[in-house]
């Protein structure tokens, strides 16, 4: 027991993303594997909820990492947000490229899925029956895409709002405003007295 504790205390701290990027640039492929292992699961969850399809999420996930490798020399940590924000910006752009290629109206009809009450605790906390969960999903589907994207990036990537703003290419106040509007709209739509939905960004 004592040896295990000593081993844990003396073990080197995990390398940060930027250090791994530097090693990967120097040809150490294991650094790339460490980056993928570190970010793979949360990035997949984000893409699955973003596009509503496991198959498409997997395709976009592969495209994202391929783009990371192709553009590794362009990554500049001094621009803010770090590797994680850069990674999610690439993933979001891949999804946007997909939607543009298929047509915005068709993609909007298919919807960006937020599946469980873990996404928006303010609106979904305590929902225990299928009817209420279905109602929540329907309410979220009625949000404008710009608001759904902010929700996804906040609750699935754990990014700060300043990083979300950088990913979406909008001012910080805009990102905060979209989140505020989304939560207010969800609260309204989840109430029994909610009027018919309208889309506003």
């Amino acid at each position: 027991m004592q040896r295990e504790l000593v081993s844990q205390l003396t073990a080197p701290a995990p390398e940060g993303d930027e250090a791994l990027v530097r090693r990967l640039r120097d040809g150490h492929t294991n650094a790339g594997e460490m980056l993928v292992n570190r970010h793979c699961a949360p990035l997949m969850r984000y893409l699955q909820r973003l596009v509503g399809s496991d198959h498409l999420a997997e395709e976009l996930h592969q495209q994202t990492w391929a783009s990371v490798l192709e553009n590794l020399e362009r990554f500049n940590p001094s621009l803010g947000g770090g590797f994680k924000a850069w990674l999610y910006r690439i993933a979001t752009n891949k999804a946007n490229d997909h939607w543009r290629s298929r047509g915005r109206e068709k993609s909007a009809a298919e919807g960006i899925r937020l599946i469980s009450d873990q996404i928006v605790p303010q609106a979904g906390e305590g929902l225990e029956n299928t009817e209420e969960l279905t109602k929540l999903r329907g309410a979220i589907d009625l949000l404008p895409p710009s608001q759904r994207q902010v929700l996804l990036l906040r609750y699935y990537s754990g990014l700060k709002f300043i990083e979300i703003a950088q990913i979406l290419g909008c001012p910080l106040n805009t990102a905060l405003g979209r989140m505020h509007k989304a939560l207010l709209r969800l609260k309204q739509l989840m109430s029994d007295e909610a009027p018919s939905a309208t889309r506003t960004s």
Side-chain angles (χ1 to χ4, degrees):
M1 181 70 177
Q2 186 175 358
R3 287 183 179 178
E4 292 178 3
L5 181 58
V6 171
S7 176
Q8 292 175 6
L9 291 174
T10 58
E15 287 184 275
D17 289 342
E18 283 69 33
L20 290 174
V21 168
R22 286 194 297 270
R23 290 214 298 119
L24 183 57
R25 284 172 172 169
D26 291 337
H28 300 281
T29 56
N30 65 317
E33 294 173 4
M34 293 174 69
L35 279 171
V36 172
N37 290 336
R38 181 174 295 174
H39 296 286
C40 177
L43 182 62
M44 269 298 296
R45 287 194 297 269
Y46 166 65
L47 287 169
Q48 286 167 341
R49 270 59 175 193
L50 186 64
V51 300
S53 163
D54 290 348
H55 176 74
L56 178 56
E58 179 63 36
E59 181 180 332
L60 294 175
H61 187 260
Q62 294 178 16
Q63 290 179 16
T64 297
W65 284 109
S67 184
V68 166
L69 293 176
E70 290 171 7
N71 297 281
L72 198 62
E73 295 301 323
R74 298 183 183 180
F75 170 63
N76 185 353
S78 65
L79 295 179
F83 177 80
K84 185 177 181 180
W86 186 62
L87 174 66
Y88 278 84
R89 182 159 54 248
I90 291 174
T92 302
N93 288 339
K94 292 297 180 185
N96 287 337
D97 289 345
H98 169 75
W99 292 327
R100 279 193 291 269
S101 69
R102 296 191 62 185
R104 281 193 170 275
E105 291 302 318
K106 183 175 181 180
S107 296
E110 292 175 354
I112 302 171
R113 299 293 177 182
L114 288 169
I115 302 302
S116 75
D117 60 329
Q118 296 178 1
I119 311 308
V120 187
Q122 295 91 332
E125 193 167 316
L127 300 184
E128 296 178 355
N129 59 71
T130 303
E131 182 179 351
E132 286 298 297
L133 286 174
T134 301
K135 185 177 180 180
L136 174 61
R137 294 186 190 115
I140 292 169
D141 283 341
L142 291 172
L143 294 175
S146 61
Q147 293 176 14
R148 289 197 298 258
Q149 277 191 327
V150 173
L151 281 166
L152 283 164
L153 285 167
R154 178 63 176 168
Y155 287 101
Y156 277 97
S157 70
L159 292 169
K160 299 175 182 178
F161 278 107
I162 186 65
E163 296 170 331
I164 292 172
Q166 291 170 347
I167 288 171
L168 298 179
C170 66
L172 173 59
N173 286 343
T174 300
L176 291 170
R178 288 175 184 174
M179 174 65 84
H180 180 65
K181 288 180 181 179
L183 294 177
L184 287 178
R185 190 66 180 138
L186 282 179
K187 183 177 179 181
Q188 182 185 44
L189 290 169
M190 289 298 292
S191 69
D192 293 335
E193 296 78 24
S196 58
T198 57
R199 290 178 177 267
T200 58
S201 57

